[in-house]
Structure formats: C-alpha cells, structure tokens
C-alpha cells in the first residue's frame, strides 16, 4: 500500500503546472502553487515554534483555500481538526478548545461570532479567504505569520521547483485527523484517524473506483465531514484530479451548470439529491410515457434514453454516482436499476474513514449497501436472517475518540472489533443490509423487534410522503411525516391525508409493525451534513 502523501508528492512533481484546486467560477491553484503554500507553512511553523502533532482547526465553507489549509496542516505533520461551518458558535469554541487546537483557519464572518476567551489554548486565528491574521494572543506566532513570505523567499531565493518537493511518510500510525461527528444522537465526538487509515481508504478507492490525472470532480459535500473530505477531495487530488469547489449549497440550476462546465468523472452525493432529481425530472417524464412503458423492448429504449439524458445533464463523463449517508428510496432505486444508471449506495461512518461497505454498480444488489471494505461481522446467531450489530475491523478504523474514555470503553468489543451501532444482516455473497440503529430499535409488547428505518422505507413509497420518522408513543407506533402538499389544498382534503398515508403503509406492513397514527410536520426534519435526520430531536 502506498502512502497517500507519497502519491501527492509524486503528483505535485509530475503535474507542476496543472490545476489542482479551483473554486467554480473563481480562483484556481496549480500543484506548483500548492507546493509553495505547503512549504511556506512548514517554515512558518518552525519560526512560530509550533511543533508537529499540534492540532490546527479549520472552520470555513468549502473552497480551494480550505483545501490548501488542510494540505498545509496535514503534510507538515500537524493534526487537522475540520469543524463544520454550520456548527453553532459556542460549539466551534468548545470543540476548538476540546481538540487543543493552537491555530484556527476560519471564515471572517464565522470568526465575528466567536469568543476568543472561550478558547484559551488558541494562539491565533487566520482568515481562510485571504490569509489575513484575524486575531492573536501569541506574539511569536503573529510575527512568524506576517513574515512567512519573506521567510520563504530567504530559504528559496530562486523559488520552488519540483525537485525540492518531499513529504514525510514515516507516520503511518500517527494521528492525522480529529473529525468531530455530527450525528443523529447529537453529541459530537472527536474521531481520531491516522495517516495509515487515510492511506487505506485511498488504496481501496483506487482499486475499486480509480481516477486518472487530468480528470475533474465537483466537490459539493461538506469538507469537514469524512465522506466529502476523503472521497471528493483527498482521493482524487493526490492522483492528479482537479477538484472544483462549489462553496455554499448550490441551487439545482447552479449545480447542473457546474456539472456541465466541469464534466466530472464521478458524482459523490447523498440520496436526497438524487431523489430530488428523480422527483423533479425523471418521474414526470416516465408518467408521460406510461402507456409506452408497458410495451416490451420499447420500455428498454425509453429507460436508456432517460439514462443518457441524465448522465449528459451531469456533464456526460460520469462513470459512477456514489451515494452514501442514508438509504435510497425503494421507488427511486428500482427506477435507477431499470435505467441501468451507474450508481451505488455505500455504507460508511466517520469512524471508518469513512468506508465500511461498497460494490461497483454492475454488481450492486438492490436494497444492500455493498460488500465489506474490510472485515465485517454480524453479532447474531443467524447473520443471514436475524439482524445483529454490524462490527468492523481494519486499518481504516478509528483508534478511538479524543479525550473521551467513556466513549472508548464501549466502542470496541473485547476482541478488538469496532461497534458500529448499526443493525444489519449479510447474505451468502457478503452483501450488507442495514436494518436500523440499535438505539432506535423499538421492542413492542409482544417482544418483537421493530426497526423504524424499515417502516420508514415503506412510508417513502406512500402518496405525498417526502420523508418520515417512526417513534414509539404509549406502546404504539406513530409516524411523523413531512409531506408534499400544495398550499391551496382544501382543509378537508388535507385533514384526510394522514389516514390515507397510514392505510397505504399498513397494507404493506406486518401486523406487529403497523402504524397507529400519522402526524404531519410543518417543516422538513433537521438533518446532519450526511442528510440523516436528527432523530433525537423528535423522540
């Protein structure tokens, strides 16, 4: 296995004048520019007296300069602490302090809402957008930062050249990233990931969905989340792929225009995005051709035509759509299968950097989330039929939670397997099927295990339902539903919809998991960056 920083070193040398990082319709940086930034930061760290293994946080919106900040930290042996730009200011302060970060790269508008006194270990804050020093309490650090360019010029009077690029790889088991989760349970934990874990993820990615120098990709997932960080940025960038950042969440029109312009080789997204594409474009087109879809051979031609148009809308070069973070609605998945759309739904979590399950689209089994990336076992006497906790091990797995002995004590089994907290089964071919979360499982009065996610999957196919969660109230199942309803719908008709949804769902549900009541929600559910519903807010 090749260290990902060795690959970055080779790519920087070989693709010196090629674009490495770009803001869509904004500034761009070559691999030569990246090399200069990395070296300048190395010299700054020496001058500032900041040693390797120190933690440095980044709290900013996606951009090429965000990526540069990450490489500056990561390549030079410090620990990167990506923080979501959407975190509450108090959380940013608390996590910066908890992580022992000595520097903070931050957007200026985010910094305005932070309180330095709440971050006593912080030495300085730096504006990601323009590199300006926003604040400092350490004069040595401030002086070193302000003079970093002149320090670079002193050490490199003739500038950088490819032969001067050399990145250390003697750090396989060293801490590289502390990534704070923002999951459905609400309490962020600092997941510790090593350089070896990141190298393992890159190795698997290259083996199963390789890229090529000169290709392009659009980054639209949060870089402070391992899914976006590893799969949309690090894996492509170290191989010579030019990464284009969209910044804030784009409108559908902006997104498709970016895809047309950039022509990515791969689209990494969450199911919700593709479900919206299906609902707004594909489903209406299919309904207009309903009569023709019943004719053999003709339906194949129609599905093929729609597939070609969809791939063309995403730039025409997409080899695979990778979805993760949640299950895909069965109706949408079935349609994509019929279209022969090159898509796959993976399984992962921050603690796995982030991959646990994956399969190439031609071998992907509907309803599954791929095959194990490394070792996975189901803690069940009958793993094929009876759901048990999914447990994993491998070089990609976290070494624990930062400064959290309570969480570490329950994270691993006595024989060293990581407890995912997910319930699942696995068939004879090794395909993984997620059944739910241990914490969300409901035990009914007859002793039957009910997995809300399975009931919600049925609800997703009911009329009007956009999204739902199922909770237990007084021993009965209640479905909370956010529905697609027109504003001018008559009150009488609107009032009848909950019962219509309940009746439709119960026809497909076994007796023990039938829904007793449906409640309509006025607003969409609050979600994590992976677009998973924050269940703890609705219990």
């Amino acid at each position: 296995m090749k260290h990902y920083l060795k690959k970055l070193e080779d790519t920087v040398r070989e693709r010196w004048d090629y674009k490495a990082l770009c803001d869509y319709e904004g500034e761009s940086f070559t691999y030569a520019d990246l090399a200069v930034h990395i070296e300048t930061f190395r010299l700054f760290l020496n001058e500032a007296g900041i040693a390797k293994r120190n933690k440095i946080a980044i709290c900013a919106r996606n951009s090429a300069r965000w990526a540069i900040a990450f490489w500056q930290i990561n390549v030079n042996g410090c620990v990167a602490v990506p923080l979501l730009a959407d975190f509450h200011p108090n959380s940013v302060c608390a996590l910066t302090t908890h992580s022992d970060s000595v520097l903070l790269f931050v957007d200026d508008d985010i910094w305005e809402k932070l309180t330095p006194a709440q971050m006593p270990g912080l030495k300085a804050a730096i504006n990601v957008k323009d590199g300006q020093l926003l604040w400092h309490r350490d004069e040595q650090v401030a002086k070193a930062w302000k003079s970093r360019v002149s320090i670079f010029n002193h050490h490199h009077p003739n500038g950088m050249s490819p032969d001067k690029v050399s990145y250390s790889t003697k750090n396989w088991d060293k801490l590289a990233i502390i990534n704070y989760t923002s999951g459905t349970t609400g309490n962020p934990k600092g997941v510790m990931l090593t350089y070896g874990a990141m190298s393992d993820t890159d190795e698997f990615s290259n083996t199963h969905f390789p890229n090529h120098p000169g290709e392009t990709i659009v980054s639209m997932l949060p870089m402070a989340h391992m899914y976006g960080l590893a799969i949309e940025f690090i894996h492509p960038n170290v191989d010579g792929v030019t990464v284009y950042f969209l910044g804030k969440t784009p409108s559908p029109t902006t997104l498709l225009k970016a895809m047309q312009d950039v022509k990515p080789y791969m689209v990494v997204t969450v199911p919700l995005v593709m479900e919206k594409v299906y609902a707004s474009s594909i489903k209406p087109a299919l309904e207009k051709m309903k009569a023709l879809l019943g004719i053999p051979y003709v339906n194949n031609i129609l599905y093929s035509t729609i597939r070609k148009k969809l791939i063309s809308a995403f730039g025409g070069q997409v080899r695979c759509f990778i979805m993760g973070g949640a299950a895909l609605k069965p109706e949408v998945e079935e349609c994509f299968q019929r279209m022969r759309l090159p898509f796959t739904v993976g399984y992962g979590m921050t603690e796995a950097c982030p991959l646990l399950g994956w399969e190439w689209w031609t071998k992907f089994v509907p309803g599954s989330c791929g095959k194990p990336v490394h070792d996975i076992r189901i803690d069940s006497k009958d793993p094929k039929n009876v759901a048990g906790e999914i447990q994993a091990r491998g070089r990609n797995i976290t070494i624990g939670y930062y400064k959290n002995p309570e969480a570490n004590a329950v994270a691993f089994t006595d024989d060293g397997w990581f407890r995912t907290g997910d319930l699942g089964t696995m068939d004879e071919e090794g395909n993984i099927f997620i059944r739910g979360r241990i914490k969300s499982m409901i035990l009914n009065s007859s002793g039957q295990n009910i997995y809300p996610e399975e009931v919600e999957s049925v609800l997703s196919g009911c009329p009007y339902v956009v999204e739902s969660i199922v909770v237990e109230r007084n021993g009965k199942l209640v479905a909370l539903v956010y529905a697609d309803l027109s504003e001018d719908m008559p009150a009488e008709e609107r009032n009848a919809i909950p019962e219509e949804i309940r009746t439709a769902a119960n026809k497909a549900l076994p007796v023990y998991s039938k829904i007793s009541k449906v409640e309509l929600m006025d607003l969409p559910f609050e979600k994590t960056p992976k677009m998973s519903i924050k269940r703890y807010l609705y219990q």
Side-chain angles (χ1 to χ4, degrees):
M1 180 167 63
K2 194 171 184 179
H3 198 297
Y4 71 100
L5 291 186
K6 176 57 180 170
K7 293 177 64 177
L8 179 64
E9 176 189 307
D10 292 343
T11 296
V12 169
R13 287 170 172 242
E14 295 165 9
R15 299 189 61 78
W16 190 252
D17 294 319
Y18 290 88
K19 289 182 179 179
L21 304 163
C22 304
D23 291 324
Y24 176 62
E25 295 186 331
E27 60 183 345
S28 63
F29 301 88
T30 64
Y31 281 98
D33 295 329
L34 178 59
V36 170
H37 278 284
I38 290 172
E39 175 64 6
T40 300
F41 195 72
R42 182 187 71 82
L43 295 169
F44 154 74
L45 291 173
N46 291 341
E47 190 74 14
I50 299 175
K52 290 183 178 180
R53 311 272 75 82
N54 267 279
K55 286 77 177 179
I56 301 176
I58 313 174
C59 185
R61 298 170 191 84
N62 283 14
S63 69
R65 288 186 180 272
W66 192 110
I68 288 173
F70 175 85
W71 281 133
Q72 288 178 148
I73 299 163
N74 186 248
V75 171
N76 287 307
C78 289
V79 179
V81 184
L83 300 175
L84 287 162
D86 292 333
F87 273 150
H88 189 278
N90 288 342
S91 295
V92 175
C93 291
L95 296 178
T96 299
T97 297
H98 181 270
S99 65
D100 299 311
S101 291
V102 296
L103 296 177
L104 173 63
F105 283 92
V106 64
D107 284 339
D108 52 357
D109 59 322
I110 294 176
W111 176 253
E112 289 175 359
K113 301 172 185 176
L114 304 183
T115 306
Q118 295 180 6
M119 300 176 282
L122 195 66
K123 297 178 183 293
I126 299 163
N127 191 340
V128 168
K129 297 174 184 176
D130 58 14
Q132 293 299 306
L133 195 67
L134 293 170
W135 169 92
H136 72 277
R137 65 162 49 95
D138 187 307
E139 290 297 334
Q140 181 180 356
V141 170
K143 182 179 178 182
W145 183 256
K146 292 175 181 177
S147 59
R148 68 192 186 284
V149 174
S150 61
I151 295 171
F152 173 86
N153 291 334
H154 173 74
H155 283 81
H156 301 279
N158 297 318
M160 282 286 287
S161 58
D163 59 288
K164 294 179 181 178
V165 175
S166 179
Y167 302 147
S168 175
T169 57
K170 297 179 180 179
N171 50 15
W172 288 89
D173 297 321
K174 300 293 185 183
L175 180 59
I177 299 169
I178 299 176
N179 197 203
Y180 282 90
T181 63
S182 178
T184 56
T185 58
N187 298 314
K189 297 192 292 283
V191 179
M192 297 189 290
L193 299 167
T194 65
Y195 286 89
M198 195 63 250
S199 296
D200 185 274
T201 294
D202 179 61
E203 176 76 10
F204 179 88
S205 302
N206 270 310
T207 303
H208 293 81
F209 44 102
N211 47 48
H212 308 288
E215 290 187 314
T216 55
I217 190 170
V218 174
S219 174
M220 54 182 164
L221 296 175
M223 291 274 280
H225 192 279
M226 279 309 299
Y227 185 24
L229 183 67
I231 308 303
E232 274 190 332
F233 164 45
I234 295 177
H235 160 56
N237 203 215
V238 300
D239 287 332
V241 172
T242 304
V243 182
Y244 286 81
F245 298 94
L246 291 184
K248 59 185 179 181
T249 304
S251 66
T253 301
T254 300
L255 174 61
L256 291 179
K257 182 178 184 301
M259 293 294 177
Q260 286 288 323
D261 293 342
V262 175
K263 297 179 172 46
Y265 77 96
M266 173 174 72
V267 172
V268 183
T269 186
V270 292
L272 185 61
V273 171
M274 297 306 292
E275 287 167 359
K276 287 182 177 179
V277 170
Y278 168 80
S280 63
S281 302
I282 299 173
K283 189 175 182 178
L286 291 174
E287 288 177 347
K288 290 179 181 179
M289 301 181 291
K290 205 167 187 179
L292 295 175
L293 291 175
I295 304 174
Y297 303 111
V298 174
N299 59 4
N300 290 337
I301 294 173
L302 293 176
Y303 277 117
S304 176
T305 300
I306 293 173
R307 182 189 69 241
K308 290 177 182 177
K309 287 184 177 179
L310 181 60
I311 292 176
S312 177
F314 279 85
Q317 303 298 317
V318 180
R319 298 199 294 276
C320 189
F321 293 84
I322 300 177
M323 288 170 260
L328 189 63
K329 284 186 177 181
E331 175 189 356
V332 181
E333 186 173 58
E334 181 182 353
C335 178
F336 286 172
Q337 286 281 333
R338 287 191 176 188
M339 288 168 55
R340 294 286 293 165
L341 188 74
F343 82 98
T344 187
V345 179
Y347 170 41
M349 57 197 310
T350 305
E351 289 87 344
C353 194
L355 301 177
L356 284 168
W358 156 269
E359 182 57 279
W360 187 243
W361 73 273
T362 56
K363 300 177 182 178
F364 178 71
V365 174
S368 78
C369 54
K371 294 183 174 68
V373 169
H374 288 307
D375 293 338
I376 279 184
R377 70 183 184 187
I378 307 295
D379 187 21
S380 166
K381 293 181 179 179
D382 184 7
K384 297 177 189 174
N385 302 299
V386 180
E389 183 179 39
I390 300 171
Q391 299 174 352
R393 67 181 181 184
R395 190 158 198 170
N396 61 321
I397 299 298
T398 179
I399 56 175
Y401 299 105
Y402 190 63
K403 292 165 49 177
N404 196 335
E406 295 83 6
N408 289 332
V410 298
F412 296 89
T413 64
D414 292 339
D415 55 348
W417 290 70
F418 176 73
R419 301 178 186 272
T420 66
D422 291 321
L423 291 165
T425 56
M426 190 186 300
D427 65 17
E428 293 180 352
E429 286 73 41
N431 296 295
I432 307 164
F433 297 84
I434 305 293
R435 302 305 180 191
R437 290 285 294 173
I438 289 176
K439 290 183 179 180
S440 63
M441 187 187 77
I442 298 170
L443 183 66
N444 72 3
S445 57
S446 62
Q448 181 70 46
N449 291 340
I450 299 172
Y451 307 114
E453 292 85 353
E454 293 186 343
V455 181
E456 291 155 13
S457 178
V458 172
L459 282 164
S460 72
C462 295
Y464 306 109
V465 176
V466 176
E467 55 186 4
S468 66
I469 60 172
V470 173
V471 298
E472 181 186 21
R473 290 183 183 169
N474 300 319
K476 296 182 178 180
L477 296 184
V478 176
L480 308 181
V481 171
Y482 177 65
D484 181 14
L485 306 177
S486 62
E487 294 182 1
D488 58 351
M489 178 179 287
E492 184 178 349
E493 185 178 341
R494 181 186 180 90
N495 292 338
I497 285 174
E499 182 59 22
E500 182 180 343
I501 294 172
R502 189 185 76 86
T503 302
N506 283 346
K507 287 180 180 179
L509 291 168
V511 174
Y512 63 82
S513 63
K514 288 189 181 296
I515 299 166
S516 65
K517 183 181 180 182
V518 171
E519 295 181 5
L520 295 182
M521 306 294 289
D522 294 328
L523 298 171
F525 297 104
E526 289 195 36
K527 301 177 186 67
T528 71
K530 291 192 300 181
M531 302 310 293
S532 300
I533 295 171
K534 294 182 177 180
R535 289 179 175 272
Y536 67 95
L537 295 176
Y538 303 94
Q539 298 300 319

